[in-house]
DNA sequence: TGCCTACCCTTACGCTGTAAGCCTTACGAT
DNA sequence: ATCGTAAGGCTTACAGCGTAAGGGTAGGCA
């Protein structure tokens, strides 16, 4: 096989991996298929990443790198934190396939530490004692993550699952008549507010 | 090989599957290993379940079947709902390996519909309009699920991951100095209350 | 010229889920 | 008593997986 004209780069590989995951789901990402999409053999990828897990870690880091908080920043700490968690949820909903990834390799990489520390710094402006801030942070992360997880209504289960995809009914879908979607952002914001005001002793 | 003295049963298979998942994680559950634990060959399992996915669905149903709400039932709807979601979280934390399963095959089976309808019925006692009840239910499920997911501090990633397990630091662990654990149930209950009171217009 | 390094390749191993088909035992009907 | 059928187990086989091991070839530098 004729080699590629330009050498592969880490970024190129991560881009292809995200595209593949977004298009076909996590299960569709195999080393052979990823390499195939790049016009290369599977083992070539091991020159750029030590393992598949390392690629997945890179994918998570890249997705987090896309997180943007809309300017201008609100002054008030609750509004600021709300924007940060909305951004968190939005990036997860935009890349539903990566949610399961994030689930079991949460911010393994160095540079994603910012996305942990930044919201904590904002919550600290509330003046609550440190322990309460930790609990509040926990609650907000858990809620945002869970919401994004359920909101990724495209089931990540393979299409040839034992059950036909058409028949799958999610709890909320069955209960409320529709799945959670990105249009639920207002409810998401509202609940964030309830949690924060609750902790702030409102 | 001499055949087993007693025929296999569906329940026996599910029990072995849950034991395997609890002990070694989801990744350790392969048809061959599960069959081996039962003293049987892999293909034998296909006499009792049409596919591996069907076994996983059965596992989820069984785990949900373990959900118990402590008696006596509280009268007040908020207290009642709180107990239900605490039970939900508790069962997930007790079987951390199944959380990822539940994630992508949420209540596929028929008999688990109860676990969807029952909390909704309780929330309906609040007298809120139907749409608000749906949103509240969404929020509570998302929070409970996310909390349980993060609380399963045993990372489901295989031990031979690219990163040593010892080095894995979860956001909350790094931030607060410890991981979420089952001892966080008080905070869990508190946040459930904040969400419910927020929706109830408290 | 010779060597080193970067980059890509091929081959191979043990694992996965499961399709296909064979063998034995148990049982109900003729 | 004999047969048909079904249940429940087995073996074999296939395509796909992650990756260990090692070979080749091109460009840069001594």
């Amino acid at each position: 096989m004729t080699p590629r004209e330009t050498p592969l780069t880490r970024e190129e590989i991560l881009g292809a991996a995200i595209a593949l995951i977004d298009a076909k789901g996590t299960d569709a990402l195999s080393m052979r298929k990823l390499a195939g999409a790049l016009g290369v053999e599977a083992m070539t990828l091991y020159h750029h990443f030590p393992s598949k897990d390392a690629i997945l870690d890179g994918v998570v880091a890249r997705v987090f790198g896309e997180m943007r908080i809309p300017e201008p920043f609100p002054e008030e700490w609750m509004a600021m934190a709300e924007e940060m968690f909305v951004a968190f949820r939005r990036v997860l909903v935009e890349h539903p396939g990566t949610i399961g990834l994030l689930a079991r390799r949460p911010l393994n990489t160095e540079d994603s530490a910012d996305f942990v520390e930044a919201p904590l710094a904002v919550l600290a402006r509330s003046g609550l004692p440190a322990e309460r801030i930790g609990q509040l942070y926990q609650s907000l992360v858990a809620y945002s993550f869970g919401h994004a997880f359920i909101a990724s209504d495209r089931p990540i289960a393979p299409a040839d699952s034992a059950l036909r995809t058409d028949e799958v009914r999610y709890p909320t879908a069955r209960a409320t008549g529709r799945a959670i979607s990105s249009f639920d952002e207002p409810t998401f914001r509202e609940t964030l507010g309830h949690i924060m005001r609750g902790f702030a002793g409102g």
Side-chain angles (χ1 to χ4, degrees), chain A:
Chain A
M1 186 190 262
T2 65
R4 292 164 48 90
E5 65 297 355
T6 54
L8 266 185
T9 64
R10 243 178 286 265
E11 288 309 310
E12 204 177 347
I13 293 175
L14 290 181
I18 291 180
L20 237 168
I21 289 176
D22 282 347
K24 310 264 193 76
T26 313
D27 292 350
L29 184 77
S30 77
M31 294 302 270
R32 283 172 241 256
K33 283 178 191 153
L34 175 56
L38 290 161
V40 130
E41 294 299 316
M43 292 309 292
T44 293
L45 302 175
Y46 286 87
H47 278 276
H48 303 273
F49 291 91
S51 67
K52 186 185 183 184
D53 268 1
I55 294 182
L56 297 180
D57 285 342
V59 164
V60 169
R62 261 271 288 255
V63 165
F64 263 81
E66 291 181 12
M67 210 171 98
R68 291 287 172 269
I69 297 168
E71 314 225 19
F73 291 172
E75 280 296 320
E76 209 264 318
W77 73 268
M78 274 198 206
M80 179 85 194
E82 180 176 316
E83 292 308 322
M84 295 183 112
F85 282 97
V86 164
F88 173 81
R89 189 196 92 112
R90 198 174 286 159
V91 93
L92 286 190
V93 170
E94 275 167 11
H95 298 284
T98 65
I99 297 181
L101 255 49
L102 176 69
R104 54 209 71 202
R105 69 194 75 244
L107 313 180
N108 272 341
T109 60
E110 296 299 323
D111 47 9
S112 50
D114 302 339
F115 301 106
V116 177
E117 310 296 344
L120 268 173
V122 170
L123 296 182
R125 303 220 305 251
S126 66
L128 291 171
E131 187 183 346
R132 294 293 285 161
I133 289 180
Q135 293 169 355
L136 172 57
Y137 177 78
Q138 261 185 20
S139 297
L140 294 174
V141 168
Y143 173 61
S144 302
F145 180 80
H147 199 278
F149 207 125
I150 299 176
S152 69
D153 51 12
R154 129 107 74 119
I156 309 156
D160 57 323
S161 170
L163 295 141
R164 301 260 36 87
T165 321
D166 323 13
E167 298 171 7
V168 173
R169 287 291 171 275
Y170 289 84
T172 47
R174 196 193 290 142
T176 68
R178 64 193 179 85
I180 297 183
S181 76
S182 52
F183 298 116
D184 290 295
E185 199 173 288
T187 301
F188 178 72
R189 301 185 100 107
E190 178 190 346
T191 301
L192 286 181
H194 291 328
I195 296 174
M196 286 191 281
R197 277 189 300 275
F199 271 84

